[in-house]
Amino acid sequence: MEYIEVSIEITPFQDDYAEIVTAEISDLGFESYLTEEPYLKAYIPREQFKEPHLKTVLSLIPQTDFKVRYSLALIPEQNWNALWESSFEPVVIDGRCTVKASFHKGLPRTKYTIVIDPKMAFGTGHHQTTTLIIKSMLAHEKDIRGLQVLDMGCGTGILSILAAKMKAAVPVHAIDIDPVAVRSARENARRNRVPDRIHTLCGDASLIQAGKYDLILANINRNIILEDLSTYARGMKPGALLITSGFYEEDCAMIEAEAVRQGLEPLGSDSLERWATVTFRKLPFNL
């Protein structure tokens, strides 16, 4: 299958602006997205692409804070898998967790191995925020066993698969607003032999069950986390943990302030190349 690559140049570029554009074009049939500053790159099967629809949607985005323009490129089918295989390197985190593709052979064994086949789907474990949350999960490894876990904004399901392999309570819940991500997460759960341990749903934070979770993993972005922190807090049991990422170090203060307003106590943070993660615990009652 041939794909169209739509490269949307965002000026000035910010991740928040890329998130806005992604949300606006998400109903047009794009199957995956890649951010390469100053571009948001979106991919869609050639036969499904309708340029007039894209023009209309982009023209309706208020361009007061930023401006957009786009270009198109055809990605031939015969080059796509070769491109991914040549660029996708395995990721080893803290010597205990490997994220790799099925074509990677002869790697040193680690305690946890997650197989994610690169294709027209996003989330291969290379992003700094994924690494940060995996590091946090490894730090809480002994505590995760038996916990009811939610992977909010699950993408390809790497974090929920790791939680399942860490023997979290069955099922681990995985939620994503993108149906392509949901399908990919389900495929990867089967690929990693944990399909019965993960329940994947398509939707937003409104699906979170009140008082249900011992651990919520939220690797999304600053604005969505700020908007949904109250919902995360309602979904957490007293003493439950929330591990957040998807934002920069300079965003930590505002996220921590909002979390405290929702009865969450900051436990610690970490950063990698300006990206940050912050872990919170739900207090028994609001202060």
Side-chain angles (χ1 to χ4, degrees):
M1 180 184 299
E2 293 182 327
Y3 280 80
I4 296 293
E5 177 188 74
V6 180
S7 296
I8 303 173
E9 185 176 8
I10 301 172
T11 309
F13 182 88
Q14 290 186 23
D15 285 296
D16 289 347
Y17 298 157
E19 292 286 349
I20 291 171
V21 176
T22 301
E24 293 296 331
I25 68 174
S26 61
D27 291 332
L28 297 181
F30 290 100
E31 291 190 356
S32 65
Y33 304 91
L34 179 65
T35 301
E36 291 184 347
E37 186 176 344
Y39 296 99
L40 169 68
K41 296 186 176 182
Y43 298 89
I44 185 172
R46 180 179 182 182
E47 64 273 12
Q48 295 180 23
F49 179 62
K50 296 179 175 59
E51 188 173 2
H53 293 181
L54 175 67
K55 285 183 176 180
T56 299
V57 171
L58 292 180
S59 69
L60 294 175
I61 298 176
Q63 298 193 35
T64 52
D65 296 325
F66 65 94
K67 298 187 181 300
V68 298
R69 62 179 181 177
Y70 72 92
S71 60
L72 306 177
L74 178 66
I75 307 295
E77 178 181 10
Q78 64 269 25
N79 291 339
W80 185 253
N81 286 337
L83 174 65
W84 274 111
E85 292 192 18
S86 66
S87 61
F88 179 36
E89 295 295 330
V91 180
V92 180
I93 300 168
D94 285 354
R96 288 189 286 161
C97 180
T98 300
V99 181
K100 71 182 198 72
S102 59
F103 52 77
H104 290 135
K105 306 297 182 183
L107 299 176
R109 293 179 63 87
T110 55
K111 185 171 184 179
Y112 302 106
T113 298
I114 301 171
V115 180
I116 305 291
D117 269 350
K119 55 179 182 178
M120 291 303 295
F122 45 84
T124 55
H126 287 76
H127 199 277
Q128 295 90 334
T129 60
T130 307
T131 295
L132 286 167
I133 289 196
I134 290 176
K135 286 171 63 72
S136 294
M137 293 175 70
L138 292 171
H140 292 89
E141 180 180 10
K142 294 181 180 178
D143 303 321
I144 289 177
R145 186 183 186 94
L147 296 187
Q148 183 65 65
V149 176
L150 166 65
D151 180 5
M152 190 67 219
C154 63
T156 49
I158 291 175
L159 301 180
S160 49
I161 291 168
L162 178 57
K165 287 177 176 282
M166 286 181 166
K167 306 300 182 184
V170 178
V172 173
H173 288 179
I175 298 175
D176 201 288
I177 199 168
D178 189 331
V180 176
V182 170
R183 290 196 298 271
S184 180
R186 289 171 179 164
E187 291 173 4
N188 287 322
R190 288 192 292 271
R191 184 172 288 113
N192 287 273
R193 299 185 179 88
V194 290
D196 297 332
R197 298 187 61 84
I198 300 174
H199 181 49
T200 311
L201 295 170
C202 187
D204 57 18
S206 65
L207 296 176
I208 296 177
Q209 302 176 45
K212 174 74 173 180
Y213 300 103
D214 302 294
L215 171 63
I216 294 180
L217 310 168
N219 184 14
I220 309 181
N221 65 54
R222 182 194 68 186
N223 291 342
I224 292 179
I225 288 174
L226 286 171
E227 181 179 342
D228 291 341
L229 265 170
S230 61
T231 306
Y232 301 158
R234 286 196 299 273
M236 298 165 67
K237 300 175 184 177
L241 297 179
L242 168 65
I243 303 177
T244 61
S245 194
F247 46 86
Y248 292 115
E249 293 172 291
E250 55 264 35
D251 299 323
C252 290
M254 69 176 73
I255 289 175
E256 290 180 4
E258 178 60 25
V260 169
R261 282 193 287 270
Q262 302 301 330
L264 303 178
E265 173 190 22
L267 293 183
S269 62
D270 195 5
S271 63
L272 179 63
E273 297 173 358
R274 287 188 59 222
W275 293 95
T277 181
V278 184
T279 300
F280 302 94
R281 179 174 58 198
K282 183 172 183 178
L283 298 171
F285 52 86
N286 290 342
L287 297 178

